[in-house]
Amino acid sequence: MTPTEPRGDEVACLSAQGFHRMRYRAWGDPDAARVVVCVHGLTRNGRDFDTLARVLSAAGCRVVCPDVVGRGTSDWLADPAGYGFAQYLADMTVLLARLDVARVDWVGTSMGGLIGMMLAAQDGHPVRRLVINDIGPMIPRAALQRIADYVGKNPHFPDMATAESYIRAVHAPFGALDDAQWRRLTETSVTAENVGQGYRLRYDPAIAAAFGDLAEEDFDLWPVWDRVTIPTLALRGAVSDLLSGATLHEMAQRGPKAEIVEIAGCGHAPALLDPAQTALIRDWLLTGETAA
């Protein structure tokens, strides 16, 4: 199996209403000693890491990219009230048990970074090194409300071109992607409805309810951050509204005292499609050095 050929799999996770399937893609040598788990943002899915996974698997890593419940190809929850960090952490614990490894590296964008941070704050956690992409322990209410304005709207797209226009507009802060990258991002962000009836976004619009509650005030996780002690790399889009420059620099002074890198030309969040971005993560995970 070559690094460019991911393997699809799934694991059964439990909620109050019963079991649901969390699907994931695994790249690289299944027996590789270094395992990297990559977890996406709120409305995204594991395909966001296809490019990074190729880079890391080519460097000898086993890379696992789950679709968090309610996203991508994973099941939707019967009760939308379950969409929250308690469920996500429980599901990731099941995934880590399935992987049958003592330690993993964690790369998380936005929500995926918060999940990694929360895991790494627990006693006896399995995270060796942590990369968090454009998220931190203080998220301003205004930024959360901006996201709440589009989450769960469940737009319908009559064709792929219309879907791409939407993805380009909503995710413009991802950075200066080329046409092929925007097209690929669109293809992995939508799913076909019935034959000839267009496309919709690849996530459960019901995640909006729980997120709306979260967006009512600033989201403060400094006590969690202060419990993290492992080597941590924090990335920030230079014009991000979710992770301020002040918060990023405070992250370098407390808790794990993260190494910090700001990425020009991006807001929330760097797409991790640019070779310089993927090389930065690869080099830091494998050698502990940044190339910024």
Side-chain angles (χ1 to χ4, degrees):
M1 187 69 69
T2 67
T4 57
E5 298 177 309
R7 304 170 299 282
D9 208 340
E10 62 184 48
V11 63
C13 304
L14 185 62
S15 72
Q17 287 70 45
F19 284 97
H20 56 270
R21 293 169 299 175
M22 183 170 68
R23 294 192 172 98
Y24 60 93
R25 290 160 67 86
W27 302 71
D29 182 355
D31 297 318
R34 178 70 56 80
V35 178
V36 185
V37 177
C38 300
V39 183
H40 57 81
L42 179 69
T43 65
R44 305 299 308 154
N45 62 72
R47 299 298 304 275
D48 285 0
F49 295 103
D50 283 1
T51 298
L52 178 62
R54 289 189 181 96
V55 170
L56 293 175
S57 60
C61 298
R62 175 185 176 194
V63 187
V64 178
C65 306
D67 290 342
V68 177
V69 63
R71 287 84 167 173
T73 57
S74 290
D75 287 346
W76 294 5
L77 290 177
D79 180 2
Y83 289 124
F85 287 107
Q87 185 67 60
Y88 305 153
L89 290 167
D91 289 0
M92 292 302 162
T93 300
V94 174
L95 175 63
L96 293 173
R98 162 65 66 84
L99 299 181
D100 192 26
V101 291
R103 306 285 281 173
V104 298
D105 292 338
W106 192 280
V107 179
T109 292
S110 195
M111 180 187 74
L114 293 178
I115 295 170
M117 185 195 312
M118 292 175 185
L119 282 173
Q122 304 300 315
D123 292 337
H125 69 82
V127 184
R128 188 187 72 96
R129 296 176 76 84
L130 174 64
V131 179
I132 51 177
N133 181 26
D134 208 66
I135 201 69
M138 174 57 70
I139 309 172
R141 176 174 176 263
L144 294 170
Q145 290 183 327
R146 175 184 63 79
I147 295 174
D149 285 342
Y150 70 81
V151 171
K153 301 303 183 188
N154 200 25
H156 173 269
F157 310 110
D159 51 46
M160 192 62 71
T162 307
E164 183 175 333
S165 293
Y166 175 89
I167 294 297
R168 283 176 180 255
V170 170
H171 296 303
F174 279 11
L177 309 186
D178 63 30
D179 288 344
Q181 289 171 326
W182 280 119
R183 180 71 178 196
R184 184 62 175 164
L185 193 67
T186 301
E187 291 171 346
T188 59
S189 297
V190 302
T191 186
E193 298 191 295
N194 294 329
V195 176
Q197 294 185 5
Y199 303 87
R200 62 165 177 80
L201 294 172
R202 196 181 286 268
Y203 70 88
D204 182 355
I207 67 173
F211 184 80
D213 294 339
L214 183 68
E216 291 301 315
E217 57 186 9
D218 291 347
F219 193 48
D220 185 347
L221 285 177
W222 282 116
V224 176
W225 179 257
D226 288 338
R227 287 181 54 85
V228 178
T229 60
I230 58 173
T232 300
L233 173 65
L235 309 179
R236 175 181 183 257
V239 292
S240 174
D241 62 341
L242 256 76
L243 177 58
S244 71
T247 296
L248 180 73
H249 286 278
E250 188 169 354
M251 291 164 68
Q253 302 300 318
R254 56 190 287 189
K257 297 183 177 178
E259 296 183 53
I260 59 174
V261 175
E262 290 195 276
I263 298 176
C266 299
H268 182 77
L272 307 185
L273 299 176
D274 183 275
Q277 296 172 21
T278 56
L280 169 66
I281 294 172
R282 178 199 63 205
D283 294 348
W284 188 83
L285 287 177
L286 299 184
T287 70
E289 298 175 358
T290 61

